[in-house]
């Protein structure tokens, strides 16, 4: 039985009251004296050479205070992949040609938004319109329009990834049967409530402060330094509350750069806030992929070999696409033990807005194809698909040499729990027509190990400062973006120090006062920043224990510990001293200085992907209306292995939120484009799930294991939960009405078409 005071408890978020009372301050709420308003001029063409830009009329417009084009910048290519410069293909303002509708050409700052918008209409840009290409397979053909030039780009393929282990060809020779399928997976938007926006202020000392809604304050600091030609230390990035990220705010965006540059030009604060249309059409989205999947298997359901080819629609720039390119291939093999595997992925430029990271980071696409095909194989073999998953599921200690080692793994426990909770064996294949049940499974990383940003610092660091009154300040460079990481860090610090939660205050996301941290992406913060916080708290605690030992004068055979606001002898807990008394003595004996502890974490020797992996299984029950094609969710059950649960409320919230995001991904959301133009850039036309669409019945089953690499044994509970929903719902639809749809989203129109083909006997599943 757990003896923790705070770990594993259902604790209210430390920022909860501030948010539900409307007092939380976001970047959009910031107003500074003398502030100007910036706007961006964007290309109306998907592919066009820029011949000339005349900003003369705009500069003369009353109220305009600054205009910049690429000629005013240092023309430094940038991107998160700093370790491989050939992947950095984006500029603060495009210097030569526009590569998608919305590519940024110029920026203005004026006394108000109306004046700034009017100024944009006065900028005269002479374009040479070029042929464009919008389909990645068309873009790969000889003679297709070249979107980027350079020795590393051939036929618009900006990057390739190859993963291989075992003997794939021999595996296909010896297996009993082979199945090949093709999947088309669409693009979706992050659809965060808070659009990209920034306020920048350049001061008389030559220092820049920028407030911005970002997942990665440290990245913004170093990339602004790189593109503006400043020292990192002269740039302060402050991340106020963030209204949603999900991977869409983990890069340097043009609002950040242009607000900073225009503030330097005008000497006044500058604010840039994207419109909802810009948010949909000109930022980032989840990558559309075409997947070719070939799997060899035996009659008993053993998976023997697998070969995948993925073609990614990267859009106009790399962004974080090369990372998604690798991870989607890697997660094709999770959470199963396929001994022979080969993957080839191609990231292809097209004249559309760039695709990039989004919750799951290539995992949702991989798991949709994997889970759909496992159910197809099960039907071919006449087996329960759950049996195939259990037969081939990963277990603790599984290793893919050269890639990763799975230390803790509760996959089969998750399967058992979710099957028991949903009465899987009673329902699967036995529900009346129109009702169905389906399953999807997943494994996901707890942060990435590859240092693509090329930081010289530890991946995460923390400082704990204890004042004379016993109050504890925790400083971390990680980013609270709504997922509850500040609460998790407070719990970890309080548990390690043995004090009440309300003694702890967390400061995060301010590069001036917080140590560098790689930020919120890849489900990394609980494990990586959490380890740094635990180490820092332990460092500070040891200093208190040393002082307490001097105060108590115990037999030297005894050890001290801290819990419930006391420091005591571990072997004789009735003998102890109050925490606050120890702190007062400790500060006095430390020459009147606060007690400070420091910690850091960087994974070493953890393979190519992650130091730890979460696992889980999900079951959905659906009803399909055969008159309208509409799919309704009845019940959703998810069992998740996140190691030691840190905050029960937080994990359950992530489980439910992730499913709703996955539900929209598979059933309704679709970023529709025509000739590079986004056709539904609003919440009216982009179909997010509404409250009335979400099932009433969620069941969250928390399967606890112990991950040796994680703080108190914890690991991921954020992104991986999104990955199984598409396959899970697709399988439930098949169970309900017998139609298999392999191209997302599964809209009512597609369901009706498939049912019509089924009735005419044209459809072969």
């Amino acid at each position: 039985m757990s003896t923790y005071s705070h770990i594993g408890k259902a604790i209210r978020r430390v920022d909860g009251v501030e948010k539900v009372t409307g007092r939380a301050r976001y970047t959009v709420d910031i107003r500074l004296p003398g502030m100007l308003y910036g706007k961006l001029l964007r290309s109306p063409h998907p592919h066009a050479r820029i011949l000339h830009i005349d900003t003369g009329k705009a500069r003369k417009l009353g109220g305009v205070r600054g205009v910049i084009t690429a000629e005013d910048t240092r023309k430094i290519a940038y991107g998160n992949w700093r370790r491989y410069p050939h992947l950095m293909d984006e500029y603060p303002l495009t210097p030569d040609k526009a590569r998608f509708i919305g590519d940024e050409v110029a920026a203005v700052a004026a006394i108000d938004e109306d004046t700034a918008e009017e100024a944009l209409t006065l900028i005269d840009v002479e374009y040479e319109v070029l042929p464009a290409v919008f389909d990645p397979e068309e873009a790969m053909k000889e003679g297709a329009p070249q979107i980027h030039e350079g020795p590393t780009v051939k036929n618009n393929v900006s990057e390739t990834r190859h993963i291989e282990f075992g003997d794939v060809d021999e595996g296909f020779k010896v297996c009993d049967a082979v199945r090949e399928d093709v999947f088309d997976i669409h693009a979706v938007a992050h659809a965060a409530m808070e659009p990209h926006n920034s306020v920048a202020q350049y001061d008389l000392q030559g220092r820049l402060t920028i407030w911005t809604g970002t997942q990665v304050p440290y990245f913004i600091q170093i990339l602004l330094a790189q593109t503006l030609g400043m020292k990192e230390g002269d740039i302060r990035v402050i991340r106020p509350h963030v209204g949603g990220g999900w991977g869409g705010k983990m890069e340097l965006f043009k609002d950040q750069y242009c607000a900073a540059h225009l503030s330097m030009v005008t000497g006044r604060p500058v604010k840039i806030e994207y419109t909802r249309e810009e948010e949909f059409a000109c930022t980032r989205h989840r990558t559309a992929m075409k997947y070719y999947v070939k799997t060899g298997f035996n009659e008993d359901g053993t998976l023997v070999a697998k070969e995948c080819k993925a073609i990614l629609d990267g859009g106009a720039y790399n962004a974080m696409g090369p990372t998604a390119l690798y991870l989607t291939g890697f997660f094709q093999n999770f959470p199963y033990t396929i001994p022979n595997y080969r993957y080839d992925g191609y990231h292809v430029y097209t004249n559309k807005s760039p695709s990039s990271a989004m919750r799951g980071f290539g995992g949702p696409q991989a798991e949709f194809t994997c889970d759909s095909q496992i159910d197809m194989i099960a039907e071919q073999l006449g087996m329960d698909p759950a049996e195939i998953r259990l037969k081939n599921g990963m277990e603790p200690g599984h290793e893919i040499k050269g890639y990763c080692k799975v230390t803790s793994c509760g996959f089969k426990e998750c399967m058992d729990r979710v099957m028991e909770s949903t009465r899987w064996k009673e329902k699967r294949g036995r529900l009346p027509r129109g009702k169905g049940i389906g399953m999807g499974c997943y494994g996901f990383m707890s942060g990435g190990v590859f240092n693509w940003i090329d930081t010289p610092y530890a991946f995460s660091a923390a400082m704990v400062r204890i004042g004379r009154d016993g109050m504890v300040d925790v400083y971390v460079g990680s980013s609270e973006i709504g997922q509850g990481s500040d609460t998790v860090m407070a719990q970890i610090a309080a548990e390690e120090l043995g004090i009440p939660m309300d003694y702890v205050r967390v400061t995060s996301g301010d590069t001036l006062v917080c140590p560098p941290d790689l930020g919120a992406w890849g489900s990394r913060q609980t494990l990586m920043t959490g380890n740094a916080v635990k180490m820092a708290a332990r460092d500070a605690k040891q200093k208190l224990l040393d002082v307490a030992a001097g105060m108590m004068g115990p037999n030297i055979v005894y050890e001290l510990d801290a819990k419930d606001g006391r420091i005591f002898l571990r072997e004789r807990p009735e003998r102890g001293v109050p925490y606050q008394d120890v702190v007062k003595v400790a500060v006095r004996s430390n020459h009147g200085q606060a007690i400070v502890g420091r910690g850091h974490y960087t994974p070493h020797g953890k393979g190519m992907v992650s130091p730890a992996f979460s696992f889980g299984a999900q079951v959905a029950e659906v009803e399909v209306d055969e008159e309208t094609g509409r799919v309704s969710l009845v019940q959703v059950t998810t069992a998740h292995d996140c190691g030691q649960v840190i905050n029960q409320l937080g994990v359950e919230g992530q489980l439910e939120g992730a499913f709703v995001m996955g539900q929209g991904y598979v059933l309704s959301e679709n970023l529709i484009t025509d000739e590079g133009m986004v056709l539904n850039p609003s919440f009216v036309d982009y179909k997010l799930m509404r409250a009335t669409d979400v099932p009433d019945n969620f069941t969250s089953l928390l399967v606890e294991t112990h991950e040796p690499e994680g703080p108190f044994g914890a690991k991921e509970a954020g992104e991986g939960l999104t990955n199984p929903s598409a396959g899970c719902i697709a399988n439930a639809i098949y169970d309900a009405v017998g139609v298999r749809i392999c191209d997302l989203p599964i809209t009512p129109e597609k369901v009706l078409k498939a049912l019509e083909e089924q009735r005419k006997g044209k459809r072969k599943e």
Side-chain angles (χ1 to χ4, degrees), residues 24 46 158 183 190 197 285-286 310 320 328 386 555 573 577 579 707:
S158 74
F183 299 88
H190 298 84
N197 70 112
H285 55 263
R286 180 178 282 157
M320 288 304 296
T328 193
N555 187 321
V577 290
Y579 160 79
E707 170 52 49

Side-chain angles (χ1 to χ4, degrees), residues 56 141 320 342 361 386 428 462 474 495 518 596 670 690:
K141 293 179 180 177
M320 288 304 296
R342 181 161 59 222
F361 227 157
R428 208 267 166 187
V474 178
E495 187 70 48
L518 299 191
V596 174
N670 190 8
R690 299 167 300 176

